[in-house]
């Protein structure tokens, strides 16, 4: 009899403990946990993306947003973080991918565990995410890069591209459209001599820029479709005493490039607002987690001050055309991001 009572008591305690644990988990999950997973830490562009996520989280309420990234821009580093996030059972992850295919197995695993996964800025291919938020139309971005360089060089001379990693989805797509744009007859006197990669590392990007200037003594412009690369290239050109000889343009963060624009090292560049990118990513994740959106083609997802975004074929969502920064407006925007 005593043994029976003891068994009942133990069973009761186990059930009570499980109930308490379940209640605790439910309490935790009353706040959605999302992660902004970037290519690497220490990049001002992604710092601004996270500010946008924090802004959206504050507006929506009930969201905890966390900023994460590997120390170096590698797929392996991101995979390791995603495995940890699966174990932590977060609700959503927005990823700027270092490799469009390498992340697919682990992001599939995350989605199978109930985590909503989207990519932004640098996408994961179909099957590895629900939607992919692109800052602008890839064709417009790529063609604009050549147009900016042409304006600076008078449509003539040798130009080179210093990109991020050779696997970066977004840069590779933009570069393909740069190559298409420069085929136009109006660029008959311009030649794209080489594409090199700085791996979004300041020191390597600097060395690659120096190498380009040494290899091509008649080089007229270096195009950098990466904020890290543009900053490093501007410094390399300045150190080489080639300001006004080798033009520098690309995609840059106003707060980082302000000095180089004001002193004429980089007379013009372009960029979308990274704050809006993080802000919109957070609104999309919120809708996916709530179930108000499935990420299906044709869906229109509310996005706060950004109004709304529409899901296109292959789960693509496009934002705005890059904005051009120059001496006339750089100080205004440098104070923001």
């Amino acid at each position: 009899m005593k043994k029976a009572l003891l068994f009942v008591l133990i069973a009761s305690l186990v059930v009570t403990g499980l109930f308490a644990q379940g209640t605790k988990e439910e309490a935790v999950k009353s706040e959605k946990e999302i992660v902004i997973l970037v290519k690497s830490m220490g990049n001002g562009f992604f710092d601004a993306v996270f500010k946008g996520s924090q802004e959206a989280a504050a507006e929506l309420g009930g969201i905890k947003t966390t900023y994460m990234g590997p120390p170096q821009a590698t797929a392996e580093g991101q995979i390791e973080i995603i495995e940890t996030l699966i174990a932590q059972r977060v609700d959503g992850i927005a990823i700027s991918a270092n490799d469009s295919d390498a992340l697919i197995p682990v992001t599939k695993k995350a989605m199978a565990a109930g985590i909503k996964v989207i990519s932004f800025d640098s996408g994961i291919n179909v099957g590895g995410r629900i939607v992919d938020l692109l800052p602008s139309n890839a064709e417009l971005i790529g063609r604009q890069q050549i147009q900016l360089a042409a304006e600076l060089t008078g449509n003539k001379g040798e130009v080179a591209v210093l990109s991020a990693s050779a696997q970066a989805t977004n840069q590779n797509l933009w570069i393909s459209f740069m190559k298409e744009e420069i085929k136009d007859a109006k660029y008959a006197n311009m030649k794209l001599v080489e594409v090199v990669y700085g791996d979004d590392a300041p020191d390597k990007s600097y060395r690659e820029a120096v190498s380009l200037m040494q290899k091509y003594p008649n080089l007229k412009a270096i195009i950098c479709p990466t904020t890290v690369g543009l900053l490093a290239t501007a410094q390399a050109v300045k150190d080489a005493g080639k300001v006004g000889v080798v033009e520098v343009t690309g995609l840059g963060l106003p707060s980082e490039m302000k000095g180089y624009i004001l002193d004429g090292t980089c007379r013009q560049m372009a960029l979308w607002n990274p704050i809006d990118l993080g802000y919109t990513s957070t609104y999309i994740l919120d809708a996916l987690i709530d179930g108000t959106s499935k990420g299906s083609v044709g869906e229109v997802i509310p996005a706060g001050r950004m109004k709304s975004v529409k899901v296109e074929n292959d789960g693509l969502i496009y934002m705005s055309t890059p904005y051009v920064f120059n001496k006339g407006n750089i100080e205004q925007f440098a104070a923001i991001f």
Side-chain angles (χ1 to χ4, degrees):
M1 183 67 177
K2 286 182 179 179
K3 286 184 179 179
L5 286 172
L6 182 61
F7 176 78
V8 171
L9 178 59
I10 291 171
S12 176
L13 288 171
V14 170
V15 171
T16 302
L18 290 173
F19 176 78
Q21 183 180 350
T23 304
K24 182 180 178 182
E25 287 181 0
E26 287 171 9
V28 170
K29 287 301 178 183
S30 67
E31 183 178 55
K32 301 166 192 166
E33 295 180 27
I34 69 168
V35 174
I36 304 298
L37 177 54
V38 302
K39 291 180 178 180
S40 62
M41 300 302 283
N43 185 321
F45 177 87
F46 291 121
D47 293 345
V49 167
F50 185 59
K51 287 180 182 178
S53 180
Q54 290 176 307
E55 181 187 342
E59 288 178 6
L60 291 162
I63 294 179
K64 177 186 177 183
T65 180
T66 304
Y67 184 32
M68 300 183 76
Q72 303 296 327
T74 65
E76 292 75 16
Q78 289 186 317
I79 289 168
E80 186 177 337
I81 292 172
I82 296 167
E83 289 283 8
T84 300
L85 296 177
I86 292 171
Q88 293 175 352
R89 299 174 61 188
V90 299
D91 297 292
I93 312 173
I95 306 168
S96 181
N98 284 320
D99 190 299
S100 59
D101 291 315
L103 299 185
I104 291 178
V106 73
T107 53
K108 276 187 173 180
K109 180 179 176 181
M111 290 188 288
I115 298 172
K116 304 301 181 184
V117 177
I118 70 171
S119 53
F120 71 93
D121 177 58
S122 183
I124 300 172
N125 281 335
V126 173
R129 42 73 180 171
I130 301 171
V131 297
D132 179 25
L133 178 64
L134 298 173
S136 179
N137 180 289
E139 181 172 0
L140 291 177
I141 296 170
R143 291 185 184 279
Q144 183 192 45
Q145 294 287 286
I146 292 295
Q147 292 160 9
L148 290 173
E151 290 170 8
L152 293 169
T153 63
N155 284 43
K156 60 186 177 182
E158 297 177 340
V159 298
V161 173
L162 194 161
S163 187
S165 73
Q167 292 78 34
T169 319
N170 50 354
Q171 275 96 354
N172 287 340
L173 192 55
W174 301 335
I175 291 167
S176 70
F177 283 113
M178 289 185 214
K179 291 177 178 177
E180 284 301 311
E181 176 69 12
I182 205 166
K183 290 177 183 176
D184 192 291
K186 63 178 171 283
Y187 306 116
N189 294 320
M190 286 179 68
K191 181 181 180 182
L192 177 57
V193 292
E194 190 172 356
V195 177
V196 298
Y197 303 93
D199 292 334
D200 260 355
D203 54 346
K204 185 176 181 184
S205 297
Y206 183 95
R207 291 195 303 271
E208 291 290 349
V210 170
S211 178
L212 283 171
M213 288 185 284
Q214 292 173 343
K215 186 175 181 181
Y216 302 101
N218 296 318
L219 193 66
K220 297 301 181 185
I222 301 176
I223 301 169
C224 306
T226 156
T227 57
V228 175
L230 185 63
L231 186 64
T233 298
Q235 188 60 49
V237 168
K238 193 170 181 176
D239 290 347
K242 292 195 172 184
V243 173
V245 177
V246 177
E247 299 287 353
V248 179
T249 190
L251 301 174
L253 202 63
S255 58
E256 293 181 343
M257 292 299 296
K258 174 184 170 182
Y260 296 111
I261 286 183
L262 292 178
D263 71 10
T265 305
C266 173
R267 292 195 285 150
Q268 63 178 5
M269 64 176 195
L271 193 69
W272 41 91
N273 189 330
I275 295 172
D276 292 344
L277 198 55
Y279 178 93
T280 307
S281 293
T282 301
Y283 264 88
I284 292 170
L285 276 180
D286 182 65
L288 292 172
I289 295 166
D290 275 349
T292 54
S293 171
K294 300 294 183 185
S296 303
V297 175
E299 279 187 349
V300 176
I301 303 173
R305 61 174 169 74
M306 299 299 291
K307 307 302 181 185
S308 64
V309 290
K310 185 178 180 180
V311 183
E312 307 286 351
N313 290 335
D314 293 328
L316 300 179
I317 298 175
Y318 297 101
M319 289 181 64
S320 59
T321 303
Y323 185 84
V324 177
F325 302 95
N326 51 38
K327 279 186 180 181
N329 59 27
I330 190 64
E331 292 188 274
Q332 171 192 350
F333 288 98
I336 302 171
F337 64 94

